[in-house]
Amino acid sequence: MRLLTLFDTHAHLDDPQADELTVLAQLRDLRAAGWRGAVVAGYGPERFARSRELCAAEPLLRRAIGLHPEWLAAAADAAAREAAWHALEAELDGAAIVALGEIGVDRRVRDVFPAAEQQAWLARGLGLAAQRKLPVMLHIVGWHGHALEVLRQGPLPQGGVVHRFSGAPELVREYEALGLHMGISLEPREDPVRRAALVQAIAADRLVLETDWPLHDLSYPESFVKLLDLAAQVAQWRGVDRAELAAQLARNAQMLYRLDPPHGCGAQAAE
Ligand SMILES: [Zn+2]
């Protein structure tokens, strides 16, 4: 049996490959399957308009915006990165945003975007998030040491989430000590024993679940159903009943993104 309801804490519903009207129709239908909303995770300025439109049309959506390390690595030059930073600041001025991100570090792009530069951009993101009183949505791949070095220097007053965390269970307490939540996503290829150990290492009030859609060739509704299955598995691993887990996950998402009181991002964006 699945969980009854779930909020997806990280999904790229503004993906340019997806058809906007199809996504919105799917979200409307998904309410009956227990979908209680999602945060549209930020990638780069080209997606601002799409995420703004989606949020204006679907009241259960919230927006995060940021400059993903992959986006920064692929940018043509320093001028393009600076222009994107200014676009990010401007978007924060005019729209309702629940988190700054994705921001972070990614070892896979180190050849074109060296560690020191990635750390400098992460630090810059933390500064902006603190200034705007927002939590951060962190993308950290491979370089946990580099990331922790920056995060420990802060500022990190509003906390945030290490999204799609699949590192060692020992790292969980390092991130939790900084006030961060831990995002667990669909990882179909991962060993279930390792996964269980990781999920059990996370404090009850820091765990959040996410699809991180798009994923393989699954539609968003297919991914959401898989997330409900994952949640049922998580309840089993943690030895709690599904209703208790559903309530805890809802509280955690609310704490992380300050979802209460509800504020549809469309309303404010239109002002
Ligand atoms: Zn993502």
Side-chain angles (χ1 to χ4, degrees), residues 10 12 41 102 163 212:
H10 188 117
H12 296 275
E102 298 183 37
H163 120 82
D212 199 19

Side-chain angles (χ1 to χ4, degrees), residues 10-12 41-43 47 68 102 137-139 163-164 210-214:
H10 188 117
H12 296 275
Y43 187 79
R47 299 190 186 182
H68 195 288
E102 298 183 37
M137 180 186 265
L138 299 165
H139 167 102
H163 120 82
R164 199 169 191 161
E210 56 177 61
T211 60
D212 199 19
W213 187 83

Side-chain angles (χ1 to χ4, degrees), residues 60-131:
L60 295 182
L61 288 178
R62 299 291 182 269
R63 295 177 74 197
I65 56 171
L67 301 180
H68 195 288
E70 281 172 16
W71 189 95
L72 287 167
D77 53 24
R81 288 174 185 165
E82 283 307 315
W85 178 263
H86 292 303
L88 177 65
E89 287 185 313
E91 188 72 10
L92 286 169
D93 287 337
I97 302 296
V98 297
L100 191 84
E102 298 183 37
I103 56 173
V105 292
D106 191 328
R107 189 171 181 275
R108 297 171 301 181
V109 293
R110 65 189 181 282
D111 292 344
V112 287
F113 194 23
E117 267 185 76
Q118 294 200 35
Q119 286 182 306
W121 277 92
L122 173 56
R124 198 177 186 187
L126 296 186
L128 182 60
Q131 186 196 327

Side-chain angles (χ1 to χ4, degrees), residues 88-244:
L88 177 65
E89 287 185 313
E91 188 72 10
L92 286 169
D93 287 337
I97 302 296
V98 297
L100 191 84
E102 298 183 37
I103 56 173
V105 292
D106 191 328
R107 189 171 181 275
R108 297 171 301 181
V109 293
R110 65 189 181 282
D111 292 344
V112 287
F113 194 23
E117 267 185 76
Q118 294 200 35
Q119 286 182 306
W121 277 92
L122 173 56
R124 198 177 186 187
L126 296 186
L128 182 60
Q131 186 196 327
R132 304 296 180 124
K133 299 185 170 57
L134 291 173
V136 289
M137 180 186 265
L138 299 165
H139 167 102
I140 301 167
V141 174
W143 275 343
H144 293 287
H146 288 71
L148 283 162
E149 199 176 76
V150 176
L151 294 168
R152 284 191 187 114
Q153 286 171 32
L156 207 50
Q158 311 295 323
V161 58
V162 183
H163 120 82
R164 199 169 191 161
F165 183 73
S166 63
E170 298 76 49
L171 285 168
V172 168
R173 89 177 76 90
E174 306 284 329
Y175 287 115
E176 286 180 348
L178 293 165
L180 294 165
H181 286 72
M182 306 304 289
I184 295 294
S185 67
L186 300 170
E187 307 279 2
R189 284 178 298 244
E190 202 172 88
D191 168 36
V193 176
R194 195 182 168 275
R195 203 105 239 267
L198 172 57
V199 163
Q200 286 160 0
I202 300 171
D205 61 351
R206 296 302 176 86
L207 175 68
V208 291
L209 299 186
E210 56 177 61
T211 60
D212 199 19
W213 187 83
L215 177 84
H216 309 302
D217 49 3
L218 298 178
S219 69
Y220 183 70
E222 288 166 337
S223 297
F224 182 72
V225 167
K226 285 196 180 297
L227 193 66
L228 290 174
D229 290 339
L230 173 64
Q233 181 72 74
V234 166
Q236 208 181 350
W237 284 332
R238 296 182 68 90
V240 295
D241 73 50
R242 291 181 187 87
E244 189 185 332

